[in-house]
Amino acid sequence: AQTWLTGKKSREYVHRLRSEFDSVLVGANTIKIDDPLLTVREVRGRNPVRIIIDGKLSIPIKSKVLNISDPEQTWIFTSETAGEKKISSITERRVKIFQLESGSSKKLDLRKIIQELSIQKISSVLVEGGGKIFNQFIEQNLFDEIVVLQSPKKLGKGISIQNIKKMKNLNLLRSEKLGRDIKLVYSRKYSD
């Protein structure tokens, strides 16, 4: 089951953010560990397209995002080597699959994913994680803003706020309290 370390106000904020974006993006590990719905529930609003990056097409068939009332709003990006049997069992649920070539690093190219999303008329992406996916977007400078919700509770490593603070290409735009949590919003510095 999904574990929220942040409080109710932060959860509501995340759900409101989801409703404002065309899509919400996670990696396969987030699906395997948390099994999230990736829908808007804590506030009123439209559901975003749910995007999963899963190069090996390894998420379980019983995952909530594959068995939802609007499955055509779940899109999976996987590699050209993904098994045909698994592809069939997922597409028969009306979930969309995009197969991309994986490069020499065996990872899917995030820029190609963004290009495909643009072709599909997706103009905004909320990257919710997990840590590996989140860090890839940061390392490749594929973001406009980073929102950090800092909880007084700690569980495992997560995404290090210290690492974010060390980044030279960020400006802290604002910080505010959300219940017991702190919300930090950073923007990317654009070179002239």
Side-chain angles (χ1 to χ4, degrees):
Q2 193 170 12
T3 305
W4 281 86
L5 296 180
T6 48
K8 187 176 189 306
K9 284 191 187 255
S10 289
R11 275 197 306 279
E12 285 172 359
Y13 172 73
V14 168
H15 282 251
R16 190 164 63 252
L17 259 188
R18 284 180 187 170
S19 75
E20 293 167 2
F21 278 74
D22 290 344
S23 63
V24 57
L25 183 149
V26 298
N29 280 344
T30 294
I31 301 297
K32 289 185 217 170
I33 294 164
D34 294 336
D35 197 16
L37 282 164
L38 300 176
T39 55
V40 173
R41 297 179 306 284
E42 301 277 335
V43 297
R44 289 180 67 128
R46 68 183 174 120
N47 284 326
V49 171
R50 299 168 292 274
I51 297 164
I52 302 151
I53 298 179
D54 186 0
K56 295 177 182 160
L57 204 54
S58 59
I59 64 168
I61 288 293
K62 64 182 193 296
S63 301
K64 289 175 186 167
V65 289
L66 301 182
N67 299 281
I68 200 164
S69 60
D70 57 347
E72 60 286 338
Q73 292 294 97
T74 298
W75 300 0
I76 300 174
F77 283 84
T78 191
S79 72
E80 78 283 9
T81 60
E84 288 301 320
K85 200 172 171 188
K86 184 92 177 256
I87 288 173
S88 299
S89 60
I90 289 174
T91 53
E92 70 189 19
R93 288 170 156 74
R94 301 197 333 269
V95 170
K96 263 186 167 176
I97 289 193
F98 297 85
Q99 283 185 277
L100 302 175
E101 280 184 44
S102 50
S104 54
S105 68
K106 300 286 185 208
K107 288 181 184 163
L108 296 179
D109 185 333
L110 294 182
R111 288 174 196 279
K112 284 185 183 164
I113 291 171
I114 289 170
Q115 281 171 355
E116 184 58 44
L117 292 176
S118 175
I119 291 165
Q120 299 296 324
K121 307 281 189 279
I122 298 288
S123 58
S124 59
V125 181
L126 175 63
V127 178
E128 278 198 23
K132 282 183 188 168
I133 292 289
F134 192 80
N135 285 328
Q136 282 177 49
F137 273 89
I138 290 172
E139 284 160 14
Q140 294 180 44
N141 239 7
L142 297 172
F143 67 92
D144 295 308
E145 280 188 359
I146 296 173
V147 178
V148 178
L149 299 174
Q150 211 171 358
S151 162
K153 296 182 206 165
K154 293 235 183 295
L155 179 68
K157 288 183 183 171
I159 294 155
S160 166
I161 184 69
Q162 274 66 42
N163 288 350
I164 289 172
K165 283 179 178 173
K166 283 181 202 164
M167 290 173 62
K168 303 246 187 295
N169 63 338
L170 291 183
N171 283 323
L172 178 62
L173 287 184
R174 59 192 174 276
S175 68
E176 60 190 80
K177 282 188 75 73
L178 279 180
R180 297 166 307 142
D181 307 323
I182 296 167
K183 178 178 96 176
L184 303 162
V185 180
Y186 296 89
S187 71
R188 187 172 112 195
K189 283 183 192 168
Y190 292 90
S191 51
D192 299 328

